[in-house]
Amino acid sequence: MAEAPRLTESASAVFAVLAQAGSATRPQLASLAGLSKPTVSAAVAELESARLATHSGTSSSGTGRFAAVYCLGPAAGAVLAVDLGPALTRVRGCALDGSLLAEATASRTDAADAVREALAALPAGLPLRSIVVAVGDVAARDRQGSGMRPATAKAGPVFDAMAVALPPGVPVHLENNVNCAALAELHEGAARGRHTFGYLRIGVGIGLGIVVGGSVLRGSNGAAGELARLPYPWDDGREPRQEALEEYIGARSLLRRAAAAWQGADGPCPRTTERLFALAGEGRAPAVEVVGRHAADVGRLAAAVTAVLDPGLIVLGGSTGADPRLLPGVRAELARLSWPTEVVSSTVGDTGTVAGAARLAVARGVQTVTQAAQAKD
């Protein structure tokens, strides 16, 4: 990784707002950064000299005057986002203004190949500033203290297999995949304009992304929202087991309940949750019953979330949670057990996690460039 040039504080501030804006004139940069026009002119000259900004054209003010427009330069670099999903690995390479430069998708077992493909597709010569890897786990410092890795065996092996493809010397940051998806919902999905909400993912596993005041709540161990650790079952004579709730409400158990409810006269038993929900939409009685029970279970989980957080909004995501046919049952059960809370379906889809990871990677990349500022003003 090419080392970021050392910048003055004003140049760092201008670089940060230029990365967020994508392109801007010097008067616009002055307004966004809260700096004087002479200070911004000096900062832009410094950024141009370091190839962190470049002149990209002109803009007319409508009065016959033209102003130079600037964007990020080639030395600003790129970032990489990796979503180590339960079935697929999705990778995105982005410039520090968030624009997409490369992407690749592969099976979970071929995660390293997807990383190599995306890296090879990045424009030559761009320094890589940051890498964010979204994992279905919390992050922990490894025993040697040399970096972060998944805390349990759940995501460890696939992370290790993928890591061999990452270029050395580039900061790697781990983030929980549900937190990443929550960020995508906040910025470009169903929670736009809402600064506090819960993103409840229901699929093969379960998880909760908690956004408060526009920021993800991670907790002291990075484990906030790990709903799989809620005690379950919780009843007389029944001993709670670790991650038993995830086992009960996850997609595999949902399909087992469907198989138990299915009769020979009902036709072929659905082998995927997609098919189960499709049959429920067609009015097939056993599918309607199983999906209805699942909706009530998710509604009870949403009620538990609401009792603790009172988020005002819950976004349902995941391979089963995002299906809109779940909404009526979830809303009804939540209304029965708790106070009024809006419930909506996710709108970012399967790419939400990698989109959120890319946003984090861009923020980390900009920080990498700007944190070397020296107080020379």
Side-chain angles (χ1 to χ4, degrees):
M1 178 186 72
E3 186 175 348
R6 299 183 70 82
L7 301 172
T8 61
E9 289 182 349
S10 56
S12 290
V14 170
F15 179 84
V17 298
L18 182 58
Q20 186 171 15
S23 64
T25 63
R26 278 181 288 187
Q28 289 170 335
L29 291 171
S31 176
L32 291 169
L35 298 172
S36 68
K37 291 181 180 178
T39 299
V40 167
S41 293
V44 168
E46 182 181 345
L47 294 174
E48 283 190 291
S49 177
R51 299 176 67 240
L52 292 172
T54 187
H55 180 204
S56 62
T58 56
S59 174
S60 173
S61 64
T63 61
R65 294 186 175 183
F66 290 87
V69 177
Y70 296 90
C71 65
L72 296 185
V79 298
L80 200 70
V82 183
D83 169 23
L84 295 178
L88 296 176
T89 295
R90 292 182 172 89
V91 186
R92 284 188 180 180
C94 296
L96 292 197
D97 62 3
S99 57
L100 182 65
L101 299 176
E103 58 184 341
T105 302
S107 68
R108 180 178 172 90
T109 55
D110 295 325
D113 292 337
V115 170
R116 293 188 186 98
E117 181 182 341
L119 287 171
L122 290 175
L126 281 185
L128 197 59
R129 299 297 185 192
S130 178
I131 299 169
V132 168
V133 181
V135 295
D137 201 350
V138 297
R141 190 159 295 282
D142 65 19
R143 293 176 182 176
Q144 290 75 35
S146 58
M148 302 299 287
R149 68 183 317 280
T152 72
K154 217 193 290 190
V158 69
F159 173 80
D160 293 338
M162 178 276 307
V164 301
L166 298 178
V170 182
V172 178
H173 308 277
L174 266 64
E175 182 57 87
N176 179 266
N177 57 358
V178 180
N179 287 345
C180 290
L183 284 174
E185 295 290 354
L186 171 66
H187 291 286
E188 55 201 78
R192 275 182 297 185
R194 306 289 287 268
H195 299 293
T196 298
F197 67 96
Y199 170 76
L200 182 56
R201 173 176 281 183
I202 309 293
V204 174
I206 62 174
L208 177 69
I210 305 167
V211 176
V212 178
S215 298
V216 169
L217 179 67
R218 293 178 174 84
S220 61
N221 294 300
E226 286 293 304
L227 297 181
R229 296 299 178 97
L230 283 174
Y232 179 87
W234 199 351
D235 199 2
D236 291 342
R238 304 177 72 187
E239 188 73 15
R241 294 177 290 107
Q242 192 175 82
E243 300 188 355
L245 180 59
E246 182 171 77
E247 180 183 339
Y248 168 75
I249 210 168
R252 295 185 183 93
S253 290
L254 176 61
L255 289 174
R256 283 196 293 268
R257 285 192 285 276
W262 225 257
Q263 303 294 323
D266 297 323
C269 181
R271 296 182 178 274
T272 66
T273 56
E274 292 82 4
R275 181 59 181 160
L276 174 64
F277 276 85
L279 291 173
E282 294 172 6
R284 296 285 188 93
V288 170
E289 180 182 348
V290 171
V291 169
R293 175 181 169 183
H294 189 59
D297 288 336
V298 175
R300 290 164 191 166
L301 186 56
V305 169
T306 301
V308 176
L309 297 177
D310 186 21
L313 170 68
I314 291 179
V315 179
L316 295 180
S319 58
T320 61
D323 195 301
R325 283 166 287 210
L326 217 59
L327 273 178
V330 174
R331 287 169 171 166
E333 189 69 0
L334 177 57
R336 185 179 75 85
L337 295 172
S338 193
W339 41 83
T341 302
E342 185 180 359
V343 184
V344 299
S345 298
S346 165
T347 60
V348 297
D350 295 339
T351 61
T353 297
V354 74
R359 282 190 171 271
L360 285 174
V362 165
R364 294 280 193 174
V366 170
Q367 185 180 39
T368 298
V369 175
T370 59
Q371 69 186 2
Q374 293 178 311
K376 298 192 297 185
D377 291 348

